Amino acid sequence: MTRPETSFSGPELCAKSARDVIALLKAGEITTADLIDASLKRMDQVEPLVNAVVTRCPERARASNVAASSPLAGLPIGIKDLNPVAGVRTTFGTKGMADHVPDVSDPLVLRLEDRGGVVLGKTNTPELGAGANTFNAVFGATRNPWNTAMNAAGSSGGAAVSLATGELWLSHGSDFGGSLRSPANYCGIVGLRPSPGIAGGSSAHLGFTTGGVDGPMARDVLDCALFLDAMAGYDPLWPISFPPPATPYIDTARQDAGKVRIAYTSDLNGFAAVTSEIDSVLRGALESLHLSDVTVEDHCPDLPRLDETFRALRCLSFLGSYQVTPDAVTRHYKDTIKGNLADARAMSFDDYVQAERDRSAIYNTMATFFQTHDVLACPVNGLAPMPVEIEYPTEVAGRPMRDYIDWLQFAFLATVAGLPALSLPVGFTPSGMPVGLQLIGPPRGEARLLQVAHTLEQALNLPITLIDPIPG
């Protein structure tokens, strides 16, 4: 059978939205092979400058047999290098697993492939996903395409860059301390950290933990909703998973949002540091909306012991993973990870119990807040991207940072309270770097959150374009 000729060039296909490309696949106007060719050509063009898709698997992708009637219809996607893909090098960004090739895929990968996704590559991550600057001893650093002298944040930095540059249409991310939201912010794309259980669960040996979650990353809100639909659903392998909504996320996102009540806080009541540059861009975006059904007020509920609670949950996750990881791997860990493990061992059982009580109090506070507001808006990060060589800032807006976690404090709330949070591009710094607004929604309120985000995205009307990497 002769393959149909496509009338679309590679660059034209790369520039299209995921939903438009899927429509073309379903209509038989293009094939998965056309998309693989276009994607690989784009990778050849930009990868030497950005280092985002660190492992490609074109032969495996071409061998896939996907029904055009499936939700993703044969669309090539990226998988973060923390999630195993059978037969594909999966390193977790750590030297002890530099040559690791798993026999079995992560359950989320299996789900995405079952729903028509075709894995074309693995995207770069810092070692074990620890750290908000994407570099590791296996593949090196990922660079921000808006200025390649700057970092792309992390830990889903490779995923965000692959989208901003048009190498892929959809790319998988994960998030504990902003690992999905920060790169989306720095690279000018959309990233959604779902509520725990929406898109699968944590690792097999920590299946009931709720700190780390997988989530969708895309170039706009509707593509992000489409990708979440492909991820969502119950699976007995994931003890905290549950069925998808009766109405697909993308359908709800398209609906009229009606009255939208936004509370904006620049610093979470003084908890997190932010530069005037970032606050100015975010306030300017919100003030420019001029939508009669959207109200914005300065407000933030009190969030006592948020820092202590987040750090305790993170320590628990690190120690739980470390205890089942062989010494052949752990002995290569970078110093910051070893420091995380030391912090975890220094905590007492009483500390962890206190953290659970504090977490419940914060959740209850936010549940009350959402009775009168649709979203809490705040920065994703308190400062613009930094030079790629800097692992983390030592100060933000004059406030010293104690360690590499401190500057991520805007990410803590959604993780601690189990809330969905989205990074939406809303503007640029004077130097031309993207700035995202973090929108935090109610528990399992992904549908409403996406709907609100789509409303703001349409009102702001920022151009969605592919970035040819700009040398810094």
Side-chain angles (χ1 to χ4, degrees), residues 8-25:
F8 299 99
S9 68
E12 287 177 321
L13 289 175
C14 288
K16 289 183 177 297
S17 69
R19 56 194 183 279
D20 285 346
V21 169
I22 289 171
L24 292 171
L25 285 168

Side-chain angles (χ1 to χ4, degrees), residues 250-291:
I250 190 170
D251 290 347
T252 301
R254 284 190 171 113
Q255 295 171 2
D256 184 351
K259 299 287 186 181
V260 177
R261 303 158 300 174
I262 300 173
Y264 175 71
T265 173
S266 63
D267 58 6
L268 296 175
N269 281 346
F271 173 69
V274 62
T275 62
S276 59
E277 176 183 62
I278 298 300
D279 184 36
S280 177
V281 173
L282 299 182
R283 287 186 184 276
L286 290 171
E287 290 168 0
S288 72
L289 292 174
H290 302 304
L291 297 174

Side-chain angles (χ1 to χ4, degrees), residues 77-309:
I77 61 174
I79 299 294
K80 189 174 177 178
D81 201 27
L82 297 181
N83 294 58
V85 175
V88 180
R89 184 185 182 193
T90 300
T91 74
F92 298 84
T94 190
K95 288 177 65 177
M97 301 189 74
D99 300 316
H100 174 60
V101 178
D103 296 324
V104 179
S105 291
D106 182 274
L108 182 63
V109 174
L110 295 175
R111 170 173 288 177
L112 290 172
E113 290 182 326
D114 183 62
R115 295 179 178 179
V118 174
V119 177
L120 185 55
K122 303 298 295 296
T123 59
N124 206 20
T125 177
E127 186 174 15
L128 304 183
N133 186 358
T134 299
F135 71 94
N136 59 62
V138 181
F139 296 114
T142 295
R143 294 175 177 270
N144 194 310
W146 294 86
N147 181 342
T148 58
M150 300 299 175
N151 74 348
S155 62
S156 306
V161 173
S162 74
L163 293 164
T165 56
E167 296 174 271
L168 294 163
W169 295 266
L170 298 173
S171 209
H172 151 265
S174 59
D175 188 300
F176 195 117
S179 285
L180 179 158
R181 290 165 280 169
S182 294
N185 170 35
Y186 275 10
C187 295
I189 58 103
V190 177
L192 171 63
R193 175 197 160 89
S195 307
I198 293 287
S202 190
S203 56
H205 58 274
L206 292 173
F208 287 90
T209 59
T210 59
V213 301
D214 293 296
M217 304 179 74
R219 293 181 207 148
D220 66 18
V221 173
L222 292 183
D223 274 2
C224 193
L226 180 153
F227 202 14
L228 183 61
D229 280 319
M231 293 181 172
Y234 172 74
D235 190 314
L237 294 175
W238 291 319
I240 63 172
S241 67
F242 47 88
T247 302
Y249 290 113
I250 190 170
D251 290 347
T252 301
R254 284 190 171 113
Q255 295 171 2
D256 184 351
K259 299 287 186 181
V260 177
R261 303 158 300 174
I262 300 173
Y264 175 71
T265 173
S266 63
D267 58 6
L268 296 175
N269 281 346
F271 173 69
V274 62
T275 62
S276 59
E277 176 183 62
I278 298 300
D279 184 36
S280 177
V281 173
L282 299 182
R283 287 186 184 276
L286 290 171
E287 290 168 0
S288 72
L289 292 174
H290 302 304
L291 297 174
S292 59
D293 284 340
V294 177
T295 59
V296 182
E297 65 169 319
D298 275 48
H299 175 63
C300 180
D302 291 330
L303 303 166
R305 293 185 57 80
L306 178 57
D307 185 78
E308 294 90 341
T309 307

Side-chain angles (χ1 to χ4, degrees), residues 22-43:
I22 289 171
L24 292 171
L25 285 168
K26 290 179 179 291
E29 296 184 39
I30 60 172
T31 67
T32 296
D34 294 326
L35 298 178
I36 291 173
D37 290 344
S39 181
L40 291 174
K41 185 174 182 180
R42 184 62 175 165
M43 289 180 192

Side-chain angles (χ1 to χ4, degrees), residues 437-456:
L437 176 68
Q438 182 172 195
L439 301 173
I440 302 174
R444 299 193 178 101
E446 283 74 10
R448 178 59 171 165
L449 178 61
L450 286 161
Q451 190 178 70
V452 170
H454 183 48
T455 298
L456 302 188

